[in-house]
Amino acid sequence: MNMKKITGIAVLVFLVGVAAFLWYDYPVITQNEHAGSTLHAHSAKPTQEEPDKSGLLPLSNPQQQPPPPPPPPAGPYGGEPIVKFPPEPPRTLVGVTEEGLSRVKQVMATGEEIARYPIDNSYERAALSFTDLDGDGKPEMIFVHSAGETATTSHIPLLRLDLVTNNGENATKRVSVQLLGTYVYNNIYDHAGAPFAVRDITGDGRPEIIVTSALGASIGATLQAFSFNGESLIEIARIEGHHFELINRGIGRAAVIRSRWKDEETVHTFAWNGKEFQAAK
């Protein structure tokens, strides 16, 4: 064999070796390149993806995630989002007859409404009582009502307490006083509270009128008590708070009134001093 043939064979063997090396070890990029997947066409074992810096393996075929839901609408002036709660179901009125309501409506002006207050999640009462206050044997008509005025940004009509007597044939309004709230306040979990009551709380044997009203539950309410001297209503108590207790101590003894603010543990006690309910020392 001459030298040229030997050289040609050597070159051919070298080229075949190079081609084989390239064939087995050069990575082939497939159609999955757009997904970031590299395949070895002739490797006996599939290669594993290298973890990224966070230590997590990337997804081989990431799925397109749905867009997040839109946020709830912002409140006024860009404040907290407005959350709408379903309206409370209507409560059933108890403790009063249609005849009693009709008698009161006859003495009320146009637009006035008898105030109501809840006693639990299903029932409510009208702030209305037929009680003899002056001892003449004839019950007076005592009720709390709206003022019948339209509320504006500069004027919020407050509730009124009316006392109406019956002189035999016609009802005659005798006394009307303005209260300090726009609605009768009652925490249905305060079982000793007094949203509206007509009872003896001074121990003199004659009933007084107690009304608790508020402008807004968050700022608290005001309990007011009135005695009737035959001509006018005299305020004998004005107590503020979120929780109230009217504690009767028996016939001939004055009641005790307690109040507490919702963010405080201190209970304030008020006792009768002969003229008014005064904070106990």
Side-chain angles (χ1 to χ4, degrees):
M1 184 179 296
N2 57 27
M3 186 59 65
K4 290 183 178 181
K5 288 184 179 182
I6 293 173
T7 302
I9 292 173
V11 172
L12 180 60
V13 171
F14 174 79
L15 293 176
V16 170
V18 171
F21 174 81
L22 295 177
W23 177 259
Y24 282 96
D25 289 332
Y26 189 80
V28 178
I29 306 302
T30 69
Q31 60 182 357
N32 290 328
E33 182 182 5
H34 67 282
S37 177
T38 303
L39 302 179
H40 291 270
H42 299 284
S43 177
K45 296 182 179 180
T47 59
Q48 294 183 348
E49 295 172 326
E50 294 293 331
D52 60 13
K53 293 182 179 180
S54 66
L56 300 176
L57 290 173
L59 294 175
S60 299
N61 294 299
Q63 300 292 329
Q64 184 177 4
Q65 299 296 324
Y77 312 106
E80 294 294 327
I82 299 174
V83 179
K84 294 184 178 181
F85 296 96
E88 292 185 359
R91 292 180 170 89
T92 302
L93 180 64
V94 295
V96 65
T97 64
E98 288 296 332
E99 179 185 0
L101 291 175
S102 177
R103 289 176 58 188
V104 175
K105 290 179 181 179
Q106 291 177 7
V107 301
M108 294 173 63
T110 302
E112 295 179 345
E113 294 288 341
I114 300 175
R116 302 183 181 190
Y117 57 93
I119 56 176
D120 57 26
N121 291 322
S122 301
Y123 299 98
E124 65 182 3
R125 290 185 182 274
L128 167 65
S129 176
F130 296 92
T131 306
D132 182 12
L133 295 180
D134 54 12
D136 64 355
K138 298 177 182 179
E140 276 70 45
M141 185 187 304
I142 308 146
F143 60 97
V144 178
H145 64 91
S146 63
E149 304 173 9
T150 303
T152 65
T153 55
S154 59
H155 175 65
I156 301 177
L158 301 176
L159 293 175
R160 299 195 70 86
L161 168 65
D162 283 17
L163 185 153
V164 180
T165 60
N166 190 331
N167 60 7
E169 295 182 359
N170 299 319
T172 304
K173 183 177 293 187
R174 291 176 58 175
V175 181
S176 180
V177 296
Q178 188 177 72
L179 300 175
L180 298 177
T182 57
Y183 67 95
V184 176
Y185 175 90
N186 185 34
N187 186 330
I188 62 176
Y189 303 105
D190 289 342
H191 300 295
F196 175 80
V198 182
R199 67 176 77 163
D200 180 18
I201 60 174
T202 62
D204 63 356
R206 297 193 303 177
E208 286 77 37
I209 305 169
I210 306 99
V211 184
T212 305
S213 62
L215 295 172
S218 61
I219 61 176
T222 304
L223 182 151
Q224 296 174 268
F226 301 88
S227 64
F228 182 55
N229 63 4
E231 297 294 334
S232 60
L233 288 171
I234 302 172
E235 187 179 58
I236 59 174
R238 181 181 292 193
I239 302 170
E240 298 179 337
H242 284 101
H243 302 277
F244 300 92
E245 288 182 289
L246 181 58
I247 304 172
N248 290 321
R249 299 194 300 164
I251 298 175
R253 301 185 64 186
V256 171
I257 303 174
R258 294 175 179 172
S259 71
R260 179 176 64 84
W261 296 98
K262 65 178 181 179
D263 297 326
E264 296 181 1
E265 296 183 359
T266 303
V267 177
H268 304 277
T269 302
F270 298 82
W272 177 247
N273 65 5
K275 294 183 179 180
E276 62 182 359
F277 281 86
Q278 185 179 36
K281 297 180 180 180

